[in-house]
Amino acid sequence: IIFNQILIGLFSGLVALFFLSRFDYRLLKKYAFYILLGALLVNLLVFVDGIGFTHNGATRWIVVGTFSFQPAELLKIAFVVYFAAWLSWARERVRTPRFGLLPFLILTGASAAILLKQPDTGTFMVIFAAGLAMFLVAGARFRDIASVGALAALGIAILAFMKPYLKARIMTFFNPAIDPLGASYQLQQSLIAIGSGQLFGKGFGQSVQKFNFLPEPVGDSIFAVLSEEFGFIGGVTLILLFVAFALRGLRIANVAGDGFGRYLAVGLVTLIVAQSFVNIASMVGLLPLTGIPIAFVSHGGTALLFALAEVGILLNISRSGALPVRRSA
C-alpha cells in the first residue's frame, strides 16, 4: 500500500502535476478526440484475457507485469476534455438538441456502455455529474436538463432491475437495517465507526472498526475510519477542505481566458469533489453505497496519480487566466 501510494500515486502524480501545469492546456482541445478515443480503447482492454484483472466480481483493472492500474480514471479526464472542447466549439448552439443534448447523451452513453459492463457504477455517476455540470454552465435549457433527469431516473430503475447488487444497495439505502449481515453490513459498521468517534475522536491510529469489521478500511470506508479517529471535528474539517477546493476551482473557471478552459475547469473540479462527496454521503447513509474513493485520501495509486494530474491542469488554467490580455494596436 505504501509503495503504491508514494511511488505510483504521490511521486508520479506530482511529476504529472508539474508537467501539466506548465504546458499550454489549449493543446488538449486540439487532440481531444484522440484522447477520448484512446481512453475508450484502453478501457476495453480490461475485458481482454491476460490483460484485464477481476477483483470482487468487478473487472476494472489492467495488469502489466507487476503493475496494475484502473483505466476508468483516464476515461474521466478524457470525457471532460472532449466535452469541454465540444461545448467551446458549439457555443450558443449548445441550446439546440443537435449540438447540446444529443452529444451529451452520446458521450455519456458510450462511457456507460463500458463502465457498467465492468461494472463501475460509481465512476459513471461521477462522469455523468461532471458532464451535467459542464452542460449547465454552457447554457443548457431547462427542458434539456429535465429530459436528462428523466432518462437518468429511468436508467437507474432499469439497472436496479437488471443488476441485483444495485437493487440491494438501493433497498439498503431506504432501509439500512434490512440485511445487517449482508447488503447493509458495510453501512452498519460505518455508522458505528462514525458514531463512536463522537466529537474529537479516539485518536490517530486508534480505530477499532478498521480491524475485521469495516470492509476496505483504507479505500471505500476511509471516511468512517477518519471520523472514528478524529471525530466529528475531523470529518467536518475534511468536508470543508473539499468545499474550499470546489470554491477555488470554480473561481478558476470564472476567470479562465477562454470557453474551453472554463468548461474544463468546471468538469475537473466536479470530478474531484463529486466523487469525494458521493463517497462521504454513502458512508453516512445519504446515498447508496458506491465503490469510488475519496480523492487524495483513499488508497489507490492510480486514483491519486490522476487526481494530481487534474490539479495540474487546473493550475495551468489558473496561471493562464491570471496573465494579462494582450491588446492589438
Side-chain angles (χ1 to χ4, degrees):
I1 291 176
I2 293 176
F3 175 81
N4 286 337
Q5 287 297 101
I6 294 179
L7 183 60
I8 298 176
L10 184 60
F11 178 75
S12 300
L14 289 175
V15 171
L17 183 151
F18 179 80
F19 172 75
L20 291 173
S21 67
R22 296 290 174 176
F23 88 116
D24 186 357
Y25 72 89
R26 296 173 185 85
L27 290 175
L28 294 173
K29 180 179 180 180
K30 181 178 179 181
Y31 299 103
F33 174 77
Y34 302 103
I35 293 172
L36 178 64
L37 180 62
L40 292 171
L41 293 175
V42 170
N43 272 267
L44 288 174
L45 290 178
V46 301
F47 304 113
V48 177
D49 292 338
I51 299 178
F53 174 71
T54 301
H55 177 66
N56 288 336
T59 307
R60 304 175 184 173
W61 296 267
I62 290 177
V63 178
V64 181
T66 59
F67 174 72
S68 65
F69 71 99
Q70 193 170 349
E73 296 293 334
L74 175 61
L75 181 58
K76 291 194 298 186
I77 296 181
F79 175 93
V80 168
V81 168
Y82 183 81
F83 197 39
W86 176 270
L87 292 174
S88 65
W89 173 79
R91 298 185 180 181
E92 292 80 8
R93 291 177 295 176
V94 75
R95 296 178 60 84
T96 64
R98 180 181 177 184
F99 293 96
L101 180 60
L102 186 59
F104 174 75
L105 294 178
I106 292 174
L107 283 174
T108 53
S111 302
I114 296 176
L115 294 175
L116 296 181
K117 180 66 176 177
Q118 295 183 4
D120 193 349
T121 311
T123 298
F124 172 68
M125 288 174 56
V126 171
I127 288 178
F128 180 83
L132 188 59
M134 297 165 69
F135 194 25
L136 279 168
V137 171
R141 296 178 301 177
F142 174 78
R143 69 179 185 181
D144 290 339
I145 299 302
S147 299
V148 171
L151 290 173
L154 178 62
I156 292 173
I158 294 174
L159 286 173
F161 178 78
M162 297 177 59
K163 306 284 187 180
Y165 80 95
L166 284 179
K167 181 179 179 180
R169 289 182 177 182
I170 294 174
M171 295 300 293
T172 297
F173 168 67
F174 287 108
N175 184 4
I178 193 172
D179 188 9
L181 297 179
S184 62
Y185 175 79
Q186 184 174 2
L187 177 59
Q188 292 287 335
Q189 298 303 318
S190 173
L191 293 175
I192 291 172
I194 294 171
S196 62
Q198 298 185 30
L199 185 60
F200 297 105
K202 297 178 178 178
F204 179 62
Q206 301 304 308
S207 169
V208 175
Q209 289 298 109
K210 67 183 178 183
F211 296 109
N212 301 321
F213 295 103
L214 268 173
E216 304 291 338
V218 297
D220 302 347
S221 302
I222 198 164
F223 180 77
V225 176
L226 181 145
S227 297
E228 185 180 4
E229 296 187 352
F230 297 101
F232 177 80
I233 299 299
V236 170
T237 299
L238 179 64
I239 293 172
L240 291 178
L241 286 173
F242 278 110
V243 170
F245 179 88
L247 293 175
R248 179 56 185 165
L250 294 177
R251 169 63 179 168
I252 291 173
N254 187 51
V255 300
D258 63 325
F260 175 66
R262 182 180 307 110
Y263 304 134
L264 183 59
V266 169
L268 293 175
V269 168
T270 306
L271 285 181
I272 293 173
V273 176
Q275 79 168 50
S276 303
F277 281 171
V278 166
N279 177 289
I280 294 171
S282 67
M283 286 295 100
V284 297
L286 294 178
L287 286 176
L289 288 171
T290 63
I292 57 177
I294 300 178
F296 312 117
V297 179
S298 297
H299 167 243
T302 307
L304 180 58
L305 165 61
F306 281 97
L308 290 173
E310 291 161 10
V311 172
I313 299 174
L314 281 173
L315 291 173
N316 194 323
I317 299 171
S318 179
R319 291 176 62 249
S320 300
L323 294 176
V325 178
R326 294 183 179 180
R327 301 182 182 274
S328 57

